[in-house]
Amino acid sequence: MTETKHVPTTSEAPESLGVPDGPGVPGGPGVQGGPGGPGTVGTTDSPDNPGTPDSGSGSGPAETPATDDRDPAQLLTAMVDRVLALAATWTAWDGRPVPAGDRLYTPHKAIRRVADHMVDHLAEMEARLVGEETQPDHWHASATTTAADLAPFTGADLDEARSRLTRLARIWANRLDALTPDELDRSAGTGWTFRQLAFHLAESVYYADAVGDLTAVGASASSPARPTKP
Protein backbone atom coordinates (compact mmCIF):
# COMPACT_ATOMS: atom_id res chain seq x y z
CA MET A 1 0.00 0.00 0.00
CA THR A 2 1.42 3.37 -0.96
CA GLU A 3 1.92 5.74 1.95
CA THR A 4 0.28 9.14 1.54
CA LYS A 5 2.48 12.02 2.59
CA HIS A 6 0.86 14.60 4.80
CA VAL A 7 0.44 17.93 3.03
CA PRO A 8 0.34 20.81 5.55
CA THR A 9 -2.35 23.43 5.27
CA THR A 10 -2.12 27.03 6.35
CA SER A 11 -4.45 26.24 9.25
CA GLU A 12 -1.72 24.03 10.76
CA ALA A 13 0.87 26.79 10.86
CA PRO A 14 0.89 30.25 12.37
CA GLU A 15 1.81 31.74 9.00
CA SER A 16 0.38 31.68 5.54
CA LEU A 17 2.83 30.63 2.88
CA GLY A 18 5.42 33.32 2.37
CA VAL A 19 4.31 35.25 5.46
CA PRO A 20 6.46 35.51 8.59
CA ASP A 21 6.12 32.59 11.03
CA GLY A 22 6.14 34.61 14.20
CA PRO A 23 6.03 38.14 15.56
CA GLY A 24 9.48 39.07 14.24
CA VAL A 25 9.93 40.72 10.89
CA PRO A 26 12.55 39.60 8.40
CA GLY A 27 15.54 41.69 7.60
CA GLY A 28 15.41 45.12 9.07
CA PRO A 29 17.90 47.98 9.07
CA GLY A 30 21.49 47.25 8.32
CA VAL A 31 23.37 45.34 5.70
CA GLN A 32 24.46 41.83 5.11
CA GLY A 33 26.69 39.84 7.31
CA GLY A 34 27.23 41.63 10.57
CA PRO A 35 26.05 40.85 14.07
CA GLY A 36 23.60 43.70 14.22
CA GLY A 37 25.05 45.70 17.06
CA PRO A 38 26.42 49.22 17.27
CA GLY A 39 29.53 49.66 15.18
CA THR A 40 28.80 46.61 13.04
CA VAL A 41 27.56 46.18 9.51
CA GLY A 42 24.06 45.14 10.53
CA THR A 43 22.01 41.99 10.92
CA THR A 44 22.39 38.85 8.89
CA ASP A 45 18.68 38.14 9.11
CA SER A 46 15.80 38.37 11.53
CA PRO A 47 15.96 36.53 14.84
CA ASP A 48 14.68 33.03 15.43
CA ASN A 49 15.41 33.22 19.12
CA PRO A 50 18.26 34.77 21.03
CA GLY A 51 21.24 32.47 20.76
CA THR A 52 20.23 30.88 17.47
CA PRO A 53 22.14 31.48 14.23
CA ASP A 54 19.77 34.24 13.07
CA SER A 55 21.32 37.30 14.62
CA GLY A 56 20.18 39.04 17.75
CA SER A 57 16.93 39.24 19.65
CA GLY A 58 15.40 42.02 17.59
CA SER A 59 15.72 44.45 20.48
CA GLY A 60 19.45 44.97 20.79
CA PRO A 61 22.88 43.90 19.61
CA ALA A 62 23.54 40.22 19.10
CA GLU A 63 25.86 38.48 21.51
CA THR A 64 29.41 38.30 20.20
CA PRO A 65 30.25 34.67 19.37
CA ALA A 66 32.59 32.95 21.78
CA THR A 67 35.69 31.43 20.22
CA ASP A 68 38.32 28.96 21.37
CA ASP A 69 41.40 27.21 20.00
CA ARG A 70 39.50 24.94 17.60
CA ASP A 71 40.38 25.34 13.94
CA PRO A 72 37.61 27.47 12.37
CA ALA A 73 37.84 25.73 8.99
CA GLN A 74 37.44 22.30 10.59
CA LEU A 75 34.60 23.63 12.70
CA LEU A 76 32.62 24.60 9.59
CA THR A 77 33.28 21.37 7.70
CA ALA A 78 32.19 19.41 10.80
CA MET A 79 28.99 21.49 10.97
CA VAL A 80 28.16 20.65 7.35
CA ASP A 81 28.95 16.97 7.96
CA ARG A 82 26.46 16.98 10.85
CA VAL A 83 23.79 18.74 8.79
CA LEU A 84 24.15 16.26 5.92
CA ALA A 85 24.13 13.27 8.27
CA LEU A 86 20.76 14.41 9.57
CA ALA A 87 19.53 15.29 6.07
CA ALA A 88 20.21 11.71 5.00
CA THR A 89 17.23 10.71 7.18
CA TRP A 90 14.84 13.35 5.88
CA THR A 91 13.44 11.43 2.91
CA ALA A 92 11.23 9.83 5.58
CA TRP A 93 9.69 13.20 6.48
CA ASP A 94 5.88 13.10 6.56
CA GLY A 95 5.34 16.72 5.53
CA ARG A 96 4.55 18.20 8.95
CA PRO A 97 6.61 21.32 9.84
CA VAL A 98 8.29 21.31 13.22
CA PRO A 99 7.93 24.30 15.54
CA ALA A 100 11.05 25.62 17.25
CA GLY A 101 10.53 28.76 19.27
CA ASP A 102 8.39 31.07 17.16
CA ARG A 103 9.57 29.51 13.88
CA LEU A 104 8.69 26.46 11.79
CA TYR A 105 11.26 24.19 10.18
CA THR A 106 11.18 21.62 7.39
CA PRO A 107 13.98 19.74 5.62
CA HIS A 108 14.09 22.19 2.71
CA LYS A 109 13.97 25.19 5.04
CA ALA A 110 16.85 23.84 7.13
CA ILE A 111 19.01 23.33 4.03
CA ARG A 112 18.03 26.76 2.71
CA ARG A 113 18.97 28.48 5.95
CA VAL A 114 22.32 26.71 6.32
CA ALA A 115 23.28 27.48 2.70
CA ASP A 116 22.04 31.09 2.78
CA HIS A 117 23.80 31.73 6.08
CA MET A 118 27.07 30.47 4.63
CA VAL A 119 26.64 32.50 1.44
CA ASP A 120 25.72 35.65 3.36
CA HIS A 121 28.77 35.69 5.61
CA LEU A 122 31.06 34.52 2.80
CA ALA A 123 29.97 37.52 0.74
CA GLU A 124 30.52 39.74 3.77
CA MET A 125 34.02 38.42 4.36
CA GLU A 126 35.05 38.72 0.72
CA ALA A 127 33.74 42.28 0.53
CA ARG A 128 35.58 43.30 3.67
CA LEU A 129 38.82 41.74 2.47
CA VAL A 130 38.83 43.89 -0.69
CA GLY A 131 37.56 47.02 1.04
CA GLU A 132 34.06 47.01 -0.45
CA GLU A 133 30.78 47.83 1.24
CA THR A 134 28.72 44.77 2.12
CA GLN A 135 25.43 44.19 0.33
CA PRO A 136 22.08 45.32 1.80
CA ASP A 137 20.24 42.65 3.77
CA HIS A 138 17.02 41.48 2.09
CA TRP A 139 16.90 37.90 3.40
CA HIS A 140 13.53 36.59 4.59
CA ALA A 141 15.53 34.05 6.60
CA SER A 142 13.74 31.81 9.11
CA ALA A 143 10.91 34.25 9.65
CA THR A 144 9.21 33.01 6.48
CA THR A 145 8.19 29.50 5.47
CA THR A 146 7.79 29.34 1.69
CA ALA A 147 5.82 26.92 -0.45
CA ALA A 148 9.14 25.44 -1.57
CA ASP A 149 10.08 24.80 2.08
CA LEU A 150 6.99 22.56 2.39
CA ALA A 151 7.83 20.34 -0.60
CA PRO A 152 8.68 16.66 -0.06
CA PHE A 153 12.38 16.00 0.54
CA THR A 154 13.52 13.38 -1.96
CA GLY A 155 16.70 11.49 -2.65
CA ALA A 156 17.45 13.94 -5.44
CA ASP A 157 17.03 16.83 -2.99
CA LEU A 158 19.52 15.14 -0.67
CA ASP A 159 22.01 14.80 -3.54
CA GLU A 160 21.61 18.50 -4.34
CA ALA A 161 22.07 19.45 -0.69
CA ARG A 162 25.25 17.39 -0.48
CA SER A 163 26.68 19.00 -3.60
CA ARG A 164 25.74 22.50 -2.47
CA LEU A 165 26.82 22.36 1.15
CA THR A 166 30.05 20.40 0.68
CA ARG A 167 31.20 22.94 -1.91
CA LEU A 168 30.31 25.86 0.33
CA ALA A 169 32.16 24.21 3.21
CA ARG A 170 35.22 23.74 1.00
CA ILE A 171 35.16 27.38 -0.12
CA TRP A 172 34.94 28.51 3.49
CA ALA A 173 37.70 26.13 4.63
CA ASN A 174 40.04 27.22 1.83
CA ARG A 175 39.43 30.89 2.57
CA LEU A 176 39.90 30.54 6.32
CA ASP A 177 43.04 28.41 5.89
CA ALA A 178 44.51 31.15 3.68
CA LEU A 179 44.13 33.79 6.40
CA THR A 180 46.81 34.45 8.97
CA PRO A 181 45.96 34.38 12.69
CA ASP A 182 46.20 38.17 12.66
CA GLU A 183 43.67 38.38 9.80
CA LEU A 184 41.34 36.01 11.64
CA ASP A 185 41.43 37.98 14.88
CA ARG A 186 41.99 41.57 13.68
CA SER A 187 39.91 41.42 10.55
CA ALA A 188 39.44 44.03 7.87
CA GLY A 189 36.27 46.11 7.78
CA THR A 190 33.56 46.59 10.37
CA GLY A 191 31.90 43.73 12.26
CA TRP A 192 32.84 40.53 13.97
CA THR A 193 36.29 39.10 13.35
CA PHE A 194 36.47 36.37 10.73
CA ARG A 195 37.16 33.83 13.46
CA GLN A 196 33.98 34.96 15.22
CA LEU A 197 32.06 34.71 11.94
CA ALA A 198 33.20 31.11 11.53
CA PHE A 199 32.17 30.17 15.06
CA HIS A 200 28.84 31.92 14.52
CA LEU A 201 28.29 29.97 11.30
CA ALA A 202 29.02 26.69 13.06
CA GLU A 203 25.82 27.33 15.04
CA SER A 204 23.88 26.83 11.79
CA VAL A 205 23.59 23.19 12.77
CA TYR A 206 20.65 24.47 14.85
CA TYR A 207 18.46 24.47 11.73
CA ALA A 208 19.14 20.82 11.01
CA ASP A 209 18.80 19.82 14.66
CA ALA A 210 15.37 21.49 14.66
CA VAL A 211 14.17 18.96 12.06
CA GLY A 212 16.07 16.17 13.77
CA ASP A 213 16.93 12.57 12.96
CA LEU A 214 14.03 10.98 11.07
CA THR A 215 15.57 7.54 10.80
CA ALA A 216 12.28 5.77 11.54
CA VAL A 217 10.26 5.37 8.34
CA GLY A 218 7.38 7.81 8.31
CA ALA A 219 8.88 9.83 11.15
CA SER A 220 7.34 13.21 11.75
CA ALA A 221 9.29 16.41 11.98
CA SER A 222 6.65 17.56 14.44
CA SER A 223 8.15 15.53 17.26
CA PRO A 224 11.96 15.13 16.98
CA ALA A 225 14.28 15.83 19.89
CA ARG A 226 14.53 19.59 20.32
CA PRO A 227 17.91 21.13 19.54
CA THR A 228 19.88 22.77 22.27
CA LYS A 229 20.21 26.48 21.63
CA PRO A 230 23.81 27.52 21.02
Side-chain angles (χ1 to χ4, degrees), residues 109-127:
K109 186 172 183 177
I111 296 298
R112 170 170 69 83
R113 288 304 305 128
V114 173
D116 287 354
H117 205 194
M118 295 178 77
V119 167
D120 183 57
H121 284 301
L122 180 63
E124 178 204 351
M125 181 168 62
E126 294 297 331

Side-chain angles (χ1 to χ4, degrees), residues 48-74:
D48 277 1
N49 289 291
T52 65
D54 288 350
S55 297
S57 64
S59 59
E63 183 177 343
T64 300
T67 63
D68 52 43
D69 60 0
R70 287 175 293 172
D71 181 87
Q74 292 181 8

Side-chain angles (χ1 to χ4, degrees), residues 53-201:
D54 288 350
S55 297
S57 64
S59 59
E63 183 177 343
T64 300
T67 63
D68 52 43
D69 60 0
R70 287 175 293 172
D71 181 87
Q74 292 181 8
L75 200 64
L76 287 185
T77 55
M79 179 272 290
V80 167
D81 287 345
R82 164 68 177 171
V83 169
L84 292 176
L86 289 172
T89 74
W90 293 348
T91 56
W93 182 53
D94 70 358
R96 299 177 186 271
V98 53
D102 63 349
R103 299 289 186 257
L104 295 175
Y105 289 97
T106 70
H108 281 291
K109 186 172 183 177
I111 296 298
R112 170 170 69 83
R113 288 304 305 128
V114 173
D116 287 354
H117 205 194
M118 295 178 77
V119 167
D120 183 57
H121 284 301
L122 180 63
E124 178 204 351
M125 181 168 62
E126 294 297 331
R128 288 169 58 184
L129 283 168
V130 299
E132 290 183 353
E133 292 293 325
T134 55
Q135 295 296 308
D137 174 12
H138 298 301
W139 298 106
H140 290 288
S142 299
T144 297
T145 299
T146 69
D149 291 335
L150 296 170
F153 193 80
T154 68
D157 294 317
L158 176 60
D159 289 342
E160 295 291 285
R162 285 170 172 157
S163 293
R164 183 177 303 114
L165 294 184
T166 54
R167 283 163 173 77
L168 280 171
R170 193 71 258 144
I171 292 169
W172 263 102
N174 290 341
R175 168 49 80 190
L176 291 169
D177 283 342
L179 297 175
T180 66
D182 187 68
E183 289 171 322
L184 285 171
D185 294 320
R186 285 174 287 279
S187 306
T190 303
W192 287 335
T193 69
F194 297 151
R195 188 185 303 276
Q196 289 168 339
L197 283 183
F199 275 71
H200 170 68
L201 273 178

